[in-house]
Amino acid sequence: MTNAIIMASGLGTRMRPLTDTTPKPLIKVLGKPMIESVIDALIERRVEHIYVVVGYLKEQFKYLTEKYSNIVLIENPDYQTVNNISSVYYAREILLQGDTFICEADLYVANQKLFDVELSSSCYFGKFVHGHSDDWVFDTDRNGFITRVGKNGNDLYNMVGISYFKATDAAILSTKIGEAYGQDGYENLFWDEVVNANLSSLKLLIHAVDKNDIFEIDTVDELCAINRTGE
């Protein structure tokens, strides 16, 4: 069985004023709410159950459970005070149920076949970026396994907001997230930092995607730019 966790609880402050009244994942890109582009691609992959972790303006996500038969909402009560480790923490039991995708909700998936691939190993989806990147990147060893998940690097694959954990690795991640939560400084943790701290136990490759398959939209200017492509 394959499940998916979609993290949709954040404030989306970089897209204000649009996010003053609308959660960022529900802002439309080319006529479709961002989160629905992710959900539709997961359904194309025949993912059995999709869990959406909500917090900010959570009531606005309720329509998803009526539109889609396999959507369950999970509330993150810590979304205002704890970084995105909180979203995975409150969905950690799902990681014990089998193979699991973990996706950000503020993405526009242009290629609806993005998830519909055979994945033999746990992995992060990534775009290769030539030159320097200040974003989240991956270092790898000679066999292609990820040795660092962190910010800044040159000529590396960049994170695109999607990862996939086989059942064994998903169970390890569930345990490690639970152990990290509540420790000193946990409020500032990205969940990917827990992955990075446990790469000796987790075996992750990079699944390469095309730069036009998926877009992370962080600002109003980026939103306007991609919407103009559909005019």
Side-chain angles (χ1 to χ4, degrees), residues 4 27 30 32 36 40 44 56 62 74 99-100 106 133 156 171 173 182-183 185 203 215 217 219:
I27 291 174
L30 299 175
K32 175 184 282 191
E36 288 192 32
D40 289 345
E44 184 76 21
Y56 178 60
K62 289 182 179 178
I74 297 174
D99 299 351
T100 308
D106 53 351
S133 173
L156 295 170
L173 179 61
Q183 299 298 313
K203 300 300 181 183
F215 298 91
I217 301 169
T219 67

Side-chain angles (χ1 to χ4, degrees), residues 58-75:
K58 62 184 179 182
E59 298 82 6
Q60 295 189 33
F61 291 94
K62 289 182 179 178
Y63 84 95
L64 292 172
T65 63
E66 300 171 0
K67 183 171 183 176
Y68 299 95
S69 62
N70 60 343
I71 295 284
V72 175
L73 303 184
I74 297 174
E75 184 175 353

Side-chain angles (χ1 to χ4, degrees), residues 11-209:
L11 298 172
T13 54
R14 286 189 288 175
M15 286 196 73
R16 288 175 175 165
L18 297 181
T19 51
D20 286 341
T21 55
T22 303
K24 184 180 175 185
L26 297 185
I27 291 174
K28 291 183 178 180
V29 178
L30 299 175
K32 175 184 282 191
M34 283 189 267
I35 194 171
E36 288 192 32
S37 77
V38 180
I39 292 170
D40 289 345
L42 288 166
I43 289 173
E44 184 76 21
R45 173 64 157 68
R46 297 170 297 281
V47 172
E48 286 89 344
H49 302 289
I50 300 172
Y51 299 86
V52 180
V53 185
V54 298
Y56 178 60
L57 300 176
K58 62 184 179 182
E59 298 82 6
Q60 295 189 33
F61 291 94
K62 289 182 179 178
Y63 84 95
L64 292 172
T65 63
E66 300 171 0
K67 183 171 183 176
Y68 299 95
S69 62
N70 60 343
I71 295 284
V72 175
L73 303 184
I74 297 174
E75 184 175 353
N76 171 7
D78 297 341
Y79 74 94
Q80 288 184 298
T81 57
V82 182
N83 208 337
N84 73 3
I85 186 179
S86 59
S87 287
V88 180
Y89 176 79
Y90 285 104
R92 68 192 185 283
E93 296 300 320
I94 308 307
L95 292 165
L96 300 176
Q97 297 177 11
D99 299 351
T100 308
F101 285 100
I102 301 179
C103 308
E104 295 177 11
D106 53 351
L107 306 170
Y108 178 69
V109 178
N111 176 10
Q112 289 295 289
K113 295 286 187 180
L114 183 68
F115 296 98
D116 196 15
V117 292
E118 185 65 32
L119 299 171
S120 59
S121 174
S122 300
C123 59
Y124 272 93
F125 287 39
K127 292 182 185 180
F128 191 82
V129 174
H130 295 279
H132 181 76
S133 173
D134 293 324
D135 210 337
W136 288 84
V137 300
F138 310 107
D139 291 338
T140 57
D141 64 18
R142 66 179 63 185
N143 296 313
F145 287 100
I146 295 172
T147 58
R148 180 179 72 97
V149 180
K151 290 189 175 183
N152 301 310
N154 298 306
D155 299 319
L156 295 170
Y157 279 95
N158 281 35
M159 188 182 293
V160 298
I162 296 171
S163 56
Y164 174 75
F165 291 83
K166 300 291 285 184
T168 300
D169 287 327
I172 293 171
L173 179 61
S174 177
T175 298
K176 297 302 182 182
I177 290 286
E179 290 174 353
Y181 212 78
Q183 299 298 313
D184 289 345
Y186 82 100
E187 298 92 344
N188 299 315
L189 276 179
F190 290 91
W191 76 271
D192 305 281
E193 293 179 282
V194 177
V195 173
N196 183 59
N198 291 281
L199 287 172
S200 59
S201 301
L202 301 166
K203 300 300 181 183
L204 294 116
L205 298 170
I206 295 170
H207 175 69
V209 300

